[in-house]
Amino acid sequence: MAVALLAYGWNDVRRRDTSSSVGKRGVRQGHAYEGRIRKAGGTPPLQESKIRERSEGFHRIPPVESAQADRTRPVIVISTSDGQQNNLMTNGFNMPVRHGGLIGFVVGPWDCSFEVLRDTRECVIAVPSAELAQQVVDVGNISGVQTDKWTRFGLTAIASISVAAPLVAECFANIECRVVDDRLVDDYGLWIVQAEHAWLDESKRGTGEIHHRGDGTFSENAGFIDLRHRMTKWPSLIA
């Protein structure tokens, strides 16, 4: 089991922050790109007139806010343990990597769990229901260095069978994981883990998982749409 866990043209970059070295570099690259296109006898792909024609009904948002438009992953709780202290952190940047239980998530050195994850190379990914939303937000507001989050927020640790990090009893799904690829951790904080064991308790699913919209608001799972009969390309993946 794995967690079912806007790009803009150079014109947009050119109109935005050009005060920083990154912004200036973006402008230079944009001009260079335009020059190469025109030398080849073509025209830049995102001319202003074309943008207006194709964006009817849309309004632009800053690229840094694009995460608000692309929040399809559930909010999860990551459980870690250094052998003496168990910790929890809330995470909204995660994704399935491929079938077979490979999962990716972002945890950086700004997170208390980072060093433990790097040292132990294991964790539990717990998926909370919407009913736990307030507790999950509160878990993410403080550091595990400051307090025992399990006790403070009334969460129950249950022993895993393959990793030291405990399951979260109140969550409807728990996935015991081991780190299998950390090559992108230093640059992006991106960890790739392999699911070793997965646990599901449907009685705790409630209305299902929640999704952070990037601005402090959350959405719940909506109606259920069964399109299994249309998904004919990969029949082996359809139950």
Side-chain angles (χ1 to χ4, degrees), residues 202-232:
E202 288 287 358
S203 69
K204 298 174 182 175
R205 184 186 290 271
T207 56
E209 63 268 23
I210 56 173
H211 305 261
H212 184 216
R213 296 162 56 88
D215 59 357
T217 62
F218 295 79
S219 61
E220 300 181 44
N221 279 359
F224 179 78
I225 303 175
D226 187 349
L227 295 177
R228 284 175 291 183
H229 65 288
R230 296 185 67 90
M231 297 183 66
T232 58

Side-chain angles (χ1 to χ4, degrees), residues 29 51 74 81-82 94 104 110 156-157 166 176 181 195 198 238:
Q29 291 172 344
I51 291 177
S81 177
D82 61 6
N94 55 84
W110 53 86
T156 309
E176 302 178 25
D181 193 336
I238 308 299

